[in-house]
Amino acid sequence: MKRCLFRLLVLTLVAILCTGVFAIPSIAVAEENLLKNGGFEQLNSKGDAEGWYENAYYDEVGYSQLSITSEKAHSGQYSALVENASSNDARFVCTVAVKPNTTYKLSGYVFVESMEPGGNGANLAVEDLYAFSDCLFDTTGEWQYVEWYGKTGVDQRTVTIGARVGGYGAESIGKAYFDDITLEKVDKVPEGFS
């Protein structure tokens, strides 16, 4: 009797899958991470993250502090810290080779220690475009995952991404950590993202 019930259950599942009554939601299938040091674990002799460099709208002393730190990490030992003592757009940036006319997902983890209202807060962004992930001002003492999708231009061969506090014309004051950043080619943008 148990065998008959088991066979009936299997046949029912096969029939449901074949008729399309049971639909599997569409998802964006990602490939490998194009960022070779998205976790900030590989450091040079000066303690800087390999493949990343610092950039800020105001680069005078006292505006911002950017460093690789072991103070907090989502995984591994290190994360990138961006702290603006005055209103600024400061970030760690990395340039990556990409394919033209292709969709990519930029994602990572952000921990906001403090952030004043105004500006873009902590975010992941694409340089030279007004394009960025959700702007975070409070992660309630936890690492928060963010993701953003975009498509490269028809002749585009590189993209420069930033882990930043602030934005173009949207400077912020605050302190945030970034870790486990990925840039992945995907077949499409999943539903719910514009």
Side-chain angles (χ1 to χ4, degrees), residues 72-74 106-113 122-124 133-147 176-181:
K72 289 187 189 325
H74 177 258
L106 175 62
S107 63
Y109 290 85
V110 181
F111 186 107
V112 174
E113 188 164 293
N123 62 87
L124 300 178
S133 69
D134 288 339
C135 300
L136 303 177
F137 293 87
D138 184 2
T139 58
T140 63
E142 302 287 337
W143 285 95
Q144 184 169 330
Y145 177 77
V146 295
E147 65 184 40
Y177 300 84
F178 300 86
D179 204 358
D180 296 328
I181 300 172

Side-chain angles (χ1 to χ4, degrees), residues 33 35-42 52 178-182:
N33 185 6
L35 299 177
K36 301 303 178 203
N37 192 18
F40 305 98
E41 298 298 317
Q42 298 155 5
W52 292 86
F178 300 86
D179 204 358
D180 296 328
I181 300 172
T182 63

Side-chain angles (χ1 to χ4, degrees), residues 36-104:
K36 301 303 178 203
N37 192 18
F40 305 98
E41 298 298 317
Q42 298 155 5
L43 308 180
N44 63 22
S45 60
K46 295 179 182 178
D48 298 327
E50 293 285 345
W52 292 86
Y53 62 94
E54 300 172 9
N55 197 347
Y57 183 66
Y58 298 109
D59 59 1
E60 292 88 357
V61 173
Y63 271 91
S64 300
Q65 173 191 342
L66 291 93
S67 63
I68 302 304
T69 180
S70 58
E71 191 176 313
K72 289 187 189 325
H74 177 258
S75 71
Q77 185 176 354
Y78 300 107
S79 66
L81 168 64
V82 180
E83 182 175 13
N84 292 345
S86 298
S87 189
N88 202 4
D89 174 19
R91 64 255 184 217
F92 279 95
V93 292
C94 178
T95 301
V96 182
V98 292
K99 294 180 182 178
N101 202 31
T102 303
T103 304
Y104 290 90

Side-chain angles (χ1 to χ4, degrees), residues 13-24:
L13 286 173
V14 169
I16 289 172
L17 289 173
C18 289
T19 60
V21 173
F22 177 77
I24 298 172

